Amino acid sequence: MNETTKEKQHIVPQFVLRNFSVKDKLYTYDKHTEKIYGSSVKDSGCEKSFYDFQIKVDDKILQGTIEEKLCEIECNASRVIKKILKQDDVKNITDEEKEHMDYFLAAQMMRTKNVKENFKSMPEQLRNAIRQRMPKLANDVGLDEKFPDFEDDALNLHFDVLIANSTERLKAYFKGLEWILVKTDESKPFLIGDSPVIVYNELYSDEKESFYFSKYAIGYKGSCVFFPISPTRALWLVSPELIEMYVKSNKELLNLFLVGVKVAKDVIKMGTQVQDFINIE
């Protein structure tokens, strides 16, 4: 990890946002405030020093960031996406290029503001869980001292470590998925949000959420991944079990592409925690 940049750092890469822009301009819709405003690609989906950390160890100040490694991952992925859009197909994507995309998608899942906010709240969630389930123990041990909140200076360090470790772990789950390029037209475009990689389990969509299962987590049988790469194209990484189910029920694999358009458009709506980014005409 290198020295901090002290600059705006993108949560959604600029090369992705640029595919949804017109002359590098976007509309941003904020779900919290319900406001729409115009912005540039450079100023969208970013925060100052989002990945930078600075901590004191003994008498030394340690600074760093994961930003440069993320830029390396983005660079490799941008070439693959550019190739897909140029050829309008995924047939000629090599195994090495798929590995680059696996790495990128895994990192993008973890580098969002929503993940960071959830991570930040983990000590509080743990304290609350102990209070609810073991109230006597909670009174005896002093939970606030045992499980303190992250200090602001250290939060980004822990977040960077989370991104790095989780990316290495999650990327393996993408390898067994089948690639499909889902297409629509400009009258019904795909949108991109601040959490643009969406995981959804179509095979067990009616299964209840539990500690042991989530339809929004990768790695389960039936898990699929959606990622819009332009207003009219999206990657659909499909579980082999789902393909088998559709082939058996529809008789023709062609129908899977039609199903893909509907499923992708429905699921991509979930890829927004706070903001949507829409092209400006």
Side-chain angles (χ1 to χ4, degrees):
M1 295 181 184
N2 303 313
E3 292 186 359
T4 56
T5 64
K6 301 299 182 184
E7 297 176 351
K8 288 182 179 179
Q9 297 171 335
H10 278 76
I11 301 166
V12 181
Q14 291 187 71
F15 84 88
V16 175
L17 293 176
R18 196 163 283 118
N19 290 343
F20 292 81
S21 70
V22 175
K23 297 180 180 180
D24 264 13
K25 299 295 183 182
L26 295 160
Y27 278 124
T28 299
Y29 171 66
D30 191 306
K31 292 175 69 175
H32 286 175
T33 63
E34 297 186 348
K35 292 182 178 179
I36 298 175
Y37 55 90
S39 59
S40 66
V41 167
K42 183 179 179 181
D43 293 327
S44 299
C46 62
E47 286 191 14
K48 185 177 180 181
S49 301
F50 188 72
Y51 308 107
D52 293 349
F53 65 83
Q54 177 176 295
I55 59 171
K56 186 175 182 180
V57 179
D58 297 328
D59 294 327
K60 295 181 178 180
I61 300 295
L62 300 182
Q63 296 180 325
T65 183
I66 199 173
E67 171 79 356
E68 187 170 305
K69 181 59 179 179
L70 292 175
C71 289
E72 178 185 326
I73 294 171
E74 291 172 18
C75 185
N76 291 330
S78 67
R79 289 193 288 267
V80 182
I81 291 175
K82 185 179 293 185
K83 178 178 177 180
I84 293 171
L85 292 174
K86 182 178 180 180
Q87 297 183 354
D88 203 25
D89 208 327
V90 294
K91 290 181 180 178
N92 296 321
I93 302 302
T94 67
D95 289 342
E96 182 180 9
E97 289 170 330
K98 286 185 177 182
E99 287 183 9
H100 288 320
M101 285 301 298
D102 293 345
Y103 214 160
F104 170 77
L105 293 170
Q108 184 60 60
M109 283 178 61
M110 298 305 303
R111 63 187 286 188
T112 68
K113 188 172 182 178
N114 186 54
V115 171
K116 188 176 185 179
E117 290 299 320
N118 286 338
F119 183 69
K120 182 179 180 180
S121 69
M122 284 180 63
E124 181 181 1
Q125 294 180 39
L126 180 58
R127 294 194 299 265
N128 290 339
I130 295 175
R131 289 187 182 105
Q132 290 176 4
R133 300 180 184 183
M134 296 174 283
K136 186 178 184 304
L137 176 65
N139 291 329
D140 294 341
V141 300
L143 293 180
D144 291 338
E145 291 75 26
K146 288 286 185 181
F147 307 105
D149 292 331
F150 291 112
E151 295 181 4
D152 291 340
D153 290 342
L155 175 61
N156 279 10
L157 169 60
H158 293 295
F159 182 52
D160 283 4
V161 172
L162 175 69
I163 293 172
N165 291 342
S166 298
T167 296
E168 290 294 336
R169 178 176 59 85
L170 292 174
K171 66 179 183 179
Y173 292 117
F174 294 87
K175 290 187 181 297
L177 304 180
E178 299 292 335
W179 283 41
I180 294 175
L181 185 62
V182 181
K183 304 177 182 181
T184 185
D185 57 50
E186 294 182 354
S187 66
K188 298 179 181 179
F190 296 128
L191 305 182
I192 191 163
D194 51 7
S195 295
V197 177
I198 308 101
V199 178
Y200 187 70
N201 198 312
E202 182 71 11
L203 197 61
Y204 296 106
S205 58
D206 296 329
E207 191 81 11
K208 289 184 177 180
E209 296 286 308
S210 70
F211 180 79
Y212 303 100
F213 173 81
S214 172
K215 62 174 69 75
Y216 308 110
I218 190 119
Y220 292 101
K221 181 180 179 181
S223 295
C224 299
V225 178
F226 301 86
F227 178 58
I229 58 176
S230 82
T232 60
R233 300 293 183 267
L235 287 178
W236 189 25
L237 278 58
V238 188
S239 163
E241 295 86 3
L242 190 62
I243 289 181
E244 182 180 352
M245 181 186 75
Y246 278 128
V247 170
K248 285 182 177 179
S249 62
N250 295 326
K251 305 299 181 183
E252 297 179 14
L253 186 58
L254 178 63
N255 287 331
L256 183 59
F257 290 86
L258 303 178
V259 172
V261 173
K262 180 183 183 303
V263 174
K265 294 181 84 65
D266 290 343
V267 175
I268 284 174
K269 292 177 184 177
M270 297 188 294
T272 304
Q273 297 298 331
V274 179
Q275 295 178 329
D276 271 328
F277 308 107
I278 311 167
N279 61 307
I280 294 178
E281 294 293 351

